[in-house]
Amino acid sequence: MAGNSKRKGAMRNPGSKKGAVAGSGGQKSKGLQGKGPTPKATDRPNHPAYRNAKMAAKSTAARTQRRQTKEKASAETVAGRNPVVECLRAGTPATALYVALGIDSDDRVAEAVHMAAERGISVLEVTRGELDRITGGAMHQGLGLQVPPFEYATPDELLELAQRSTQPPLLVALDGVTDPRNLGAVIRSAAAFGAQGVVLPQRRSASMTAVAWRTSAGTAAKLPIAMATNLTRTLRDWAEAGLMIVGLDADGDVDVDGLELATGPLVVVVGSEGRGLGRLVKETCDQTVSIPMATGVESLNASVAAGVVLAEVARRRRIDAKG
């Protein structure tokens, strides 16, 4: 049918064109390649908008990490007369003191109620059965103290704080320390010897429980504690910022007497109680340091080893400041 027929010659063979057509439509113009559209301001490293966008992204990431860390943590109830009194003496943050109705009061109960009232902590009388439920069936002896989740800083905040200090940056990192008493003791040593903060990994690590707080003797209130989602990446970021990474290791490159890096910007990494430093963390270290010990003596635990090295760092820095 005529309606379906195709007109002959409608398709032109490009190869039949002879020569180039002069002007902007010629074939030579096809060889000219433009640079493309101008990148957005936020994609140009030298533009203020780029730096502002990076700072905003960093701030958002910090808020996200803090929220995730807080969600991971949960409120804790300390049970028992001695533990409750020790926590209150150490200044452990608390939201409520539970006292079982009808218990035999003694000096510890009276002291706990008095300290809680002085600090504005709610003192609530509950039945023994209710206190059993609150403490999860622990041996509470009629007293329970509710401790809120710990407020962690971020690794970036720790670095910024250390860099603003009038002293050379000194940070402590814990690689898999799982005993909260060791954690508390390390925090106490870090505060005593001038560190600006402590960082611990989010997984396979002790966290800031009431036990860790109590062992720190309240110094956790004065020293920022951060939690890193990836400790190795955090250490690499700190190394790029100019800090030297030194790990405690029984087979260290140098012993503590030869720790020449002590007076500069420094991160001291403490390994776990059993396996020591993890492989990736150890590979991140600029140097590993050991502690000379008498023959036949077992190795020091994590918190004692950290205290020895931090004391040596503080000693060298005092000498350096005088000289």
Side-chain angles (χ1 to χ4, degrees):
M1 296 177 66
N4 292 331
S5 64
K6 294 183 179 179
R7 183 168 59 87
K8 290 183 180 180
M11 299 297 292
R12 182 176 296 173
N13 182 2
S16 64
K17 208 179 237 187
K18 295 182 180 180
V21 179
S24 62
Q27 292 178 354
K28 288 183 180 180
S29 66
K30 296 178 182 178
L32 301 176
Q33 299 294 327
K35 294 183 179 179
T38 302
K40 295 179 181 178
T42 53
D43 294 334
R44 287 145 56 191
N46 295 326
H47 198 283
Y50 175 86
R51 293 191 293 271
N52 292 338
K54 285 200 72 174
M55 289 177 64
K58 198 173 187 179
S59 177
T60 301
R63 287 196 299 270
T64 301
Q65 181 178 343
R66 192 182 291 107
R67 186 183 68 252
Q68 291 172 344
T69 300
K70 190 171 182 179
E71 289 171 354
K72 178 194 172 192
S74 59
E76 177 187 4
T77 303
V78 179
R81 299 188 182 190
N82 282 337
V84 166
V85 169
E86 289 172 9
C87 281
L88 289 169
R89 286 174 179 170
T92 304
T95 53
L97 173 67
Y98 297 105
V99 183
L101 290 165
I103 63 169
D104 294 329
S105 182
D106 61 11
D107 291 343
R108 294 169 297 176
V109 174
E111 184 180 358
V113 171
H114 177 71
M115 286 191 292
E118 277 195 334
R119 290 176 47 190
I121 299 169
S122 300
V123 180
L124 306 174
E125 287 190 308
V126 295
T127 64
R128 186 171 291 274
E130 181 68 7
L131 191 52
D132 288 340
R133 184 190 64 78
I134 292 170
T135 60
M139 186 68 70
H140 53 69
Q141 300 173 300
L143 281 187
L145 186 69
Q146 188 176 64
V147 179
F150 187 79
E151 291 284 345
Y152 293 95
T154 66
D156 286 343
E157 289 169 338
L158 244 61
L159 177 61
E160 184 180 352
L161 180 67
Q163 290 174 330
R164 290 204 314 262
S165 173
T166 56
Q167 302 298 318
L170 174 59
L171 297 170
V172 179
L174 303 183
D175 179 23
V177 172
T178 56
D179 187 337
R181 293 174 181 81
N182 273 338
L183 170 59
V186 171
I187 291 170
R188 191 172 182 177
S189 294
F193 297 118
Q196 290 100 10
V198 174
V199 65
L200 49 126
Q202 195 169 26
R203 296 183 297 170
R204 294 185 292 276
S205 171
S207 56
M208 280 306 300
T209 62
V211 173
W213 184 284
R214 193 168 70 239
T215 310
S216 78
T219 53
K222 307 170 186 175
L223 191 71
I225 316 296
M227 187 170 279
T229 54
N230 187 312
L231 182 61
T232 303
R233 185 166 62 236
T234 294
L235 293 175
R236 286 173 180 162
D237 290 344
W238 288 355
E240 289 180 3
L243 279 67
M244 302 299 289
I245 315 297
V246 172
L248 276 59
D249 187 75
D251 301 316
D253 304 326
V254 298
D255 62 28
V256 71
D257 296 334
L259 186 55
E260 302 297 336
L261 297 176
T263 55
L266 191 67
V267 182
V268 175
V269 189
V270 183
S272 68
E273 296 90 343
R275 62 181 177 84
L277 297 173
R279 180 181 61 84
L280 293 177
V281 168
K282 191 172 182 179
E283 289 174 357
T284 308
C285 293
D286 298 294
Q287 192 174 67
T288 54
V289 59
S290 61
I291 300 172
M293 296 178 59
T295 305
V297 179
E298 291 185 5
S299 60
L300 303 173
N301 72 13
S303 61
V304 174
V308 170
V309 173
L310 289 170
E312 175 62 14
V313 170
R315 185 189 72 83
R316 285 176 177 265
R317 290 186 172 198
R318 286 194 303 270
I319 293 174
D320 187 64
K322 291 177 182 177

